Amino acid sequence: MSLTNTQHDSIMRIYDEIRTFNHHIQEERYNEVVQLCPEFAEIENQVISISMEAAVNRILRNTSNTNTDDYATQLKQLQEKKLKMLSSLGKPADYLDEIYQCTICHDTGYVDQHKCSCFTKKAIDLVYRDSNLKNITDNENFNTFSYDWYDNSPSQTDSKTGLTPYKNMHKVVTICQDFISNFDNDFSNLLFYGTTGVGKTFLTNCIAKELLDTSHSVIYLTAIELFQRFEQRDFNKKDGKESIDSHYILDCDLLIIDDLGTELGNAYTNSKLFYVINERILRQKSVIISTNLTLSEIRDTYSERVMSRLSSSYKILKLYGKDIRVLKRTKVKPK
């Protein structure tokens, strides 16, 4: 996602607004404390005065070690008084400290001239704020998810898992919720496979919403869109859409590749799929893949080395049952 100057300026204005807002809060807190305890302002003035005197003497090289220690002692005593006053007012010790939304870059967007992770998220959100993913997750999330569409009849028990579609989905959802809960501490990937209409994409949207709501960067692409983005970069193709460069595809917190197998497969797409899967494993960045292909079809379509990466680094979850889209149209729920 190569940002234009306008897009970059737009993000930097967001940081300006964040700093202004937080500075306003800090000022309100200070005024509140001074109103409750006027002596606090006097101590603040003493701190400023002593600090300036120490700085001037340092510049003039007119300060002995003893005087330097005296300045430090005075400032320490004044700081202790301030903390006692805050405590007496029922305020925490850090009540008047600088407020930051991002403690890494202090709401500047950069750390040592490199873009902060929060800048990356804002850049992705800028391009995706009106995307289908953001719109869809309003309706497709764990609050709207229902097990009612999954059959619990013993006759529908899967021969390999030994579970009915209903019980299997309970197991899968538990794994998805563990994936979300441990996202920041335990690197893992998910592969959903199964026939059309059994909830694969719905589940990816549920997970995406939970992570987006906790300020993680999420990129959702169908397999077709993923390979188109690489074609735009590699062959300088333009289709009027915002371009997403490989940096964001490889480094966002979560990459979702939906409908793998619907693209026109060839040596180029196969190599790019391996590249994305392998690079994100090396970078410890999670991926969710959904596909209608069976495991053997994945192996035959994308090669043994792709299947090897998937089987060794992904939790492979089979979803099965009746086509929920059909069931919803007929308004007939399974028993």
Side-chain angles (χ1 to χ4, degrees):
M1 181 168 49
S2 302
L3 295 175
T4 64
N5 289 336
T6 300
Q7 289 172 325
H8 182 274
D9 291 345
S10 177
I11 292 175
M12 297 313 294
R13 281 197 297 273
I14 292 173
Y15 282 113
D16 287 340
E17 291 169 1
I18 291 172
R19 291 195 299 271
T20 299
F21 178 75
N22 287 337
H23 182 66
H24 179 67
I25 293 175
Q26 188 183 22
E27 282 188 337
E28 286 185 334
R29 289 181 176 182
Y30 179 79
N31 292 335
E32 175 196 8
V33 169
V34 171
Q35 187 174 6
L36 294 171
C37 184
E39 187 184 349
F40 194 92
E42 297 174 11
I43 294 177
E44 280 281 277
N45 291 333
Q46 290 180 53
V47 169
I48 294 171
S49 177
I50 293 171
S51 298
M52 290 180 65
E53 184 180 339
V56 169
N57 285 329
R58 249 193 328 271
I59 293 171
L60 297 176
R61 298 182 179 178
N62 192 30
T63 305
S64 66
N65 289 336
T66 302
N67 288 338
T68 301
D69 290 342
D70 287 344
Y71 286 131
T73 299
Q74 291 177 60
L75 290 172
K76 183 179 178 181
Q77 290 172 345
L78 291 172
Q79 182 62 24
E80 289 173 351
K81 281 186 178 180
K82 286 166 60 178
L83 293 177
K84 286 180 180 179
M85 287 182 180
L86 287 174
S87 178
S88 68
L89 297 173
K91 307 296 183 184
D94 62 352
Y95 189 64
L96 298 179
D97 289 356
E98 293 281 350
I99 302 169
Y100 301 114
Q101 191 177 93
C102 177
T103 56
I104 299 173
C105 70
H106 290 179
D107 300 329
T108 63
Y110 285 83
V111 180
D112 296 330
Q113 299 183 333
H114 296 287
K115 290 174 182 173
C116 182
S117 58
C118 67
F119 186 102
T120 299
K121 184 182 186 309
K122 285 178 174 59
I124 291 171
D125 285 347
L126 181 66
V127 174
Y128 277 87
R129 61 189 172 190
D130 297 320
S131 70
N132 287 334
L133 177 61
K134 290 291 184 69
N135 296 330
I136 288 172
T137 55
D138 288 338
N139 297 314
E140 297 189 1
N141 52 69
F142 283 118
N143 289 330
T144 62
F145 179 84
S146 175
Y147 293 104
D148 292 346
W149 301 106
Y150 296 92
D151 202 322
N152 198 28
S153 304
S155 60
Q156 299 299 313
T157 300
D158 182 79
S159 59
K160 291 185 178 179
T161 65
L163 299 172
T164 63
Y166 177 85
K167 291 180 179 178
N168 179 66
M169 186 50 66
H170 271 279
K171 179 181 177 182
V172 169
V173 169
T174 297
I175 292 172
C176 292
Q177 290 172 336
D178 288 343
F179 175 84
I180 296 164
S181 299
N182 300 313
F183 188 81
D184 292 323
N185 303 312
D186 182 19
F187 168 67
S188 62
N189 307 285
L190 302 176
L191 170 64
F192 298 127
Y193 77 101
T195 55
T196 301
V198 292
K200 301 184 297 296
T201 300
F202 196 110
L203 270 184
T204 64
N205 292 335
C206 291
I207 296 171
K209 176 173 175 54
E210 294 296 317
L211 293 177
L212 286 168
D213 287 349
T214 51
S215 300
H216 292 87
S217 56
V218 179
I219 289 181
Y220 168 95
L221 295 169
T222 64
I224 293 173
E225 290 170 332
L226 173 68
F227 298 125
Q228 283 177 342
R229 295 303 184 264
F230 279 107
E231 287 175 4
Q232 288 172 356
R233 185 199 68 177
D234 295 344
F235 306 115
N236 198 29
K237 290 186 176 182
K238 302 294 181 182
D239 63 359
K241 297 180 180 178
E242 293 286 356
S243 176
I244 306 171
D245 68 26
S246 58
H247 168 75
Y248 290 95
I249 290 175
L250 298 177
D251 282 336
C252 64
D253 295 328
L254 175 65
L255 173 64
I256 297 173
I257 306 174
D258 198 16
D259 280 335
L260 184 67
T262 56
E263 76 284 353
L264 181 62
N266 52 46
Y268 176 81
T269 56
N270 288 3
S271 67
K272 288 304 174 187
L273 178 63
F274 178 80
Y275 169 69
V276 170
I277 290 174
N278 193 56
E279 278 295 315
R280 286 189 64 89
I281 289 173
L282 294 175
R283 299 178 190 215
Q284 299 284 280
K285 296 290 186 178
S286 295
V287 178
I288 297 177
I289 298 175
S290 73
T291 180
N292 292 346
L293 300 176
T294 65
L295 298 183
S296 60
E297 287 172 336
I298 294 174
R299 183 184 60 248
D300 294 342
T301 303
Y302 299 104
S303 78
E304 285 284 356
R305 68 175 187 163
V306 168
M307 193 62 209
S308 174
R309 292 294 188 279
L310 295 176
S311 59
S312 62
S313 300
Y314 282 63
K315 293 177 182 177
I316 300 177
L317 304 171
K318 181 180 180 181
L319 277 65
Y320 49 89
K322 296 177 181 178
D323 189 329
I324 296 173
R325 298 185 189 98
V326 174
L327 294 174
K328 286 185 176 181
R329 283 198 298 270
T330 59
K331 298 182 179 180
V332 177
K333 293 184 180 181
K335 298 180 180 180

